[in-house]
Amino acid sequence: MIERRNVLRGGVILATAGVLAACGTPRRERATAASGSVAWEYKADSAVKGVRYGAGTVVAESDSTLTGIDAKAGRELWRLPITTPGIGQRSCLWNGALVAPGAEPDAAGDRVVAVDLASGQRKWVFDAPDGVTVAGVYGVRDQVLYLIAADPGGKGREAWAVDMASKTVRWRVPCESDGLTVPESGSLLYNRKPGSGGDLVALDRETGETAWSRAGDSAVSASTIASGLVKGAVLASDGAHTVSGLDPKTGAALWTTPALPYAAGTVFGSGDAYFLCDGSKLHAMSPGGDTSPLWSLTVSDKGDAVDAAGYGAAGSFYLLAARTLRAIDARTSKIRWMQTIPDKPGQEVHFAVGDTHCYVESTADPATLTAIAR
């Protein structure tokens, strides 16, 4: 399951959630749907700004509201009035809940809320200190939440480790990154400075101290760290024609390809293979020094499959590029199905993959969320 902030007074939120769960209906629902076909559509009050899937619920973000929707049927389950910095990249899943930072109508400052995905009820709340903005929350390990906070005026950023039981900050360290990666195992966290400067830093999960850094390294212009390891390595691209596999414990290069005959600016990691999209073709590659692709698939005759986005799940690879969403067999390159997507770069399309459906903003109406049967 993939994907690409303060509390209203108690009873009001819960009562509202109950009424909406009883009355909410999708814009359109179909009894059965073949793979690649539209199963249902949900009409939000305003443009969908983010999508997140978890535990049978897909959450859609619109202006000042998060809406929980039954992932299979498209029925509205609950609503939470909150303005977030974006749940697609800046929220995380924990114990059947979506954890998101934001501003709620009755709160003076930023707050992190864990909202139960099935009911919309709050399971946990953390109020940020006065003047602090919570830029995003990125993962929970052993009852510790890892987030990025900005000081008053947004002049500096810090990575925080928040003890969820005591609601105290265990450690805080300066952090230029726009996000954190919190693996499900291991002793390290990872962050990467935004832009193409190449800064990739590993932090000790218990102390926040820097374990290793590839600061200012042009060989790490882009990295797959946010999507996990590929055959035990962090993949990094120089943004041109070289890909390296980095040891996640030390940052040292385990292998580096010779110059590839196609662009390596856009790299996706998935299981035991990685994928390059050069604007015209998608290339499936085996990690290591081999430059010969496992297979190549033409996705655009015009070479306009740039700023693509890719998601791997259950043996399939979902590519958003050239105004098309493709479900591709990751082993054979066979296209299982295709659907038109909004007319903008794949990395800007709000999208999530669930157990049975893909969820993507509508091509016709930015306020509509479309469920496509996987």
Side-chain angles (χ1 to χ4, degrees), residues 272-291:
D272 290 340
Y274 69 97
F275 302 84
L276 305 176
C277 188
D278 64 9
S280 297
K281 293 184 177 182
L282 178 69
H283 307 279
M285 309 291 293
S286 179
D290 193 355
T291 60

Side-chain angles (χ1 to χ4, degrees), residues 45-59:
D45 294 334
S46 57
V48 174
K49 296 183 175 180
V51 184
R52 195 72 190 253
Y53 173 86
T57 300
V58 58
V59 181

Side-chain angles (χ1 to χ4, degrees), residues 80-138:
L80 179 69
I82 185 172
T83 301
T84 84
I87 62 171
Q89 302 291 332
R90 301 170 187 268
S91 68
C92 66
L93 302 174
W94 165 73
N95 197 24
L98 176 74
V99 187
E104 292 186 294
D106 71 334
D110 264 21
R111 171 179 286 162
V112 180
V113 179
V115 55
D116 184 82
L117 285 163
S119 67
Q121 298 184 25
R122 294 180 184 81
K123 301 177 68 171
W124 183 83
V125 173
F126 170 74
D127 287 305
D130 289 345
V132 171
T133 300
V134 182
V137 295
Y138 299 96

Side-chain angles (χ1 to χ4, degrees), residues 245-332:
L246 309 181
D247 186 324
K249 296 181 180 179
T250 66
L254 300 173
W255 51 263
T256 300
T257 66
L260 296 164
Y262 25 78
T266 305
V267 183
F268 316 104
S270 180
D272 290 340
Y274 69 97
F275 302 84
L276 305 176
C277 188
D278 64 9
S280 297
K281 293 184 177 182
L282 178 69
H283 307 279
M285 309 291 293
S286 179
D290 193 355
T291 60
S292 299
L294 299 170
W295 51 257
S296 295
L297 175 69
T298 298
V299 293
S300 172
D301 292 331
K302 300 178 180 179
D304 60 352
V306 294
D307 294 324
Y311 308 84
S316 292
F317 187 77
Y318 299 90
L319 181 71
L320 289 169
R323 297 168 298 284
T324 305
L325 169 61
R326 294 171 175 84
I328 303 166
D329 186 302
R331 183 177 61 86
T332 66

Side-chain angles (χ1 to χ4, degrees), residues 13 85 96 150 177 197 243-245 262 326 351:
I13 253 284
S177 169
V243 176
S244 300
Y262 25 78
R326 294 171 175 84
F351 179 77

